[in-house]
Amino acid sequence: MTGFIQAGSLPPGSKLPAERQLASALGISRMTLRQALDTLAHEGRLTRALGGRGGSFIAEPRVPVDISNLMGLSAQLLKSVDSAASRLLDAGTVPAGTSVAEALHVPVGAAVHRIRRLRFAASTPVVLEDSYFPADLFPGMLERPLTGSLYALMGMDYSLAPCSSTEELNPAVAGPAVATLLDISPRTPVLAITRTALSADGRPVEYSRDIVRTDRLRIIVSGRVEAQGEQPTGA
């Protein structure tokens, strides 16, 4: 069955036949079929619905995104989908709270630009971004176009493009406000990513809290050996 899905024989949104019919068509027992369906659901290849119109349905494919790659989300999405876009929710200059000040190495209460955006893969909202930038490093930033690549803007207009980042990943539940923006149920599991991006000279230039729909994005983290000849310590 996995082969059918990968080959596109069963396009996204297709409803699978009843278990008895499907098991017979595949020449396997219903117990084996149920185990296979459970595995596919766990991998995000199937969605399930209850009720009279319920059943198992082929899920939309998850778009791979490497969060350790600083090329920008839109560029990565466009490798897999026809279009990627951003919607600006709000932007303003605010005093830095404790966590923001600590991440950006500025005093508590220092001016920072806050930019909230909703990111789309095709027409589906996939990421809610809440980003902060030191106002003294980016004067006039909020007057620039803010729906394109912010990293490109930081590099071209301020020569402060991020060159490295540290990221913390935590499981979370969407909640009502986030769910409304991402068009999901409030009880949907999501991934919360906290990121601090650094410029080439090591200065923190962005602190971001992102909420990611893992039913639509497949998160990847790349690794590398820090120095030539250094041996990896992990398994």
Side-chain angles (χ1 to χ4, degrees):
M1 181 178 299
T2 301
F4 288 151
I5 296 173
Q6 292 175 335
S9 301
L10 299 172
S14 299
K15 183 178 180 179
L16 297 183
E19 285 188 4
R20 186 184 301 277
Q21 179 183 352
L22 186 56
S24 176
L26 295 174
I28 59 177
S29 69
R30 293 183 67 180
M31 180 177 296
T32 299
L33 174 66
R34 286 173 182 168
Q35 292 173 344
L37 294 177
D38 287 342
T39 298
L40 291 171
H42 179 72
E43 293 174 351
R45 299 176 185 271
L46 290 181
T47 59
R48 285 169 166 169
L50 301 176
R53 297 186 179 181
S56 296
F57 299 83
I58 304 300
E60 292 286 342
R62 297 163 69 207
V63 179
V65 172
D66 186 347
I67 62 172
S68 53
N69 187 330
L70 294 176
M71 69 183 293
L73 179 61
S74 292
Q76 293 199 60
L77 292 177
L78 288 172
K79 293 181 179 181
S80 303
V81 298
D82 293 334
S83 64
S86 301
R87 178 194 301 166
L88 181 65
L89 299 178
D90 57 69
T93 302
V94 300
T98 302
S99 59
V100 174
E102 181 179 349
L104 294 179
H105 295 179
V106 300
V108 173
V112 293
H113 300 315
R114 183 188 185 190
I115 299 173
R116 295 181 69 241
R117 304 192 302 174
L118 192 59
R119 310 298 297 274
F120 291 81
S123 59
T124 302
V126 291
V127 180
L128 176 61
E129 294 179 346
D130 189 5
S131 303
Y132 299 82
F133 308 86
D136 63 335
L137 296 182
F138 301 100
M141 184 181 194
L142 301 186
E143 282 68 57
R144 267 74 166 181
L146 299 177
T147 56
S149 171
L150 295 182
Y151 284 3
L153 169 66
M154 294 161 69
M156 295 176 62
D157 289 15
Y158 301 96
S159 299
L160 286 173
C163 290
S164 63
S165 67
T166 57
E167 320 220 13
E168 180 180 332
L169 284 65
N170 289 292
V173 176
V178 170
T180 297
L181 290 169
L182 290 178
D183 193 24
I184 54 179
S185 164
R187 296 185 298 275
T188 300
V190 293
L191 184 65
I193 302 178
T194 302
R195 176 179 62 257
T196 302
L198 309 177
S199 61
D201 60 6
R203 284 183 290 178
V205 291
E206 179 208 26
Y207 175 68
S208 181
R209 304 175 182 130
D210 299 343
I211 303 296
V212 178
R213 283 185 61 173
T214 53
D215 65 328
R216 289 291 179 264
L217 298 186
R218 180 164 54 89
I219 302 302
I220 300 169
V221 181
S222 299
R224 61 184 176 86
V225 175
E226 289 294 331
Q228 186 174 3
E230 182 179 342
Q231 295 300 315
T233 58

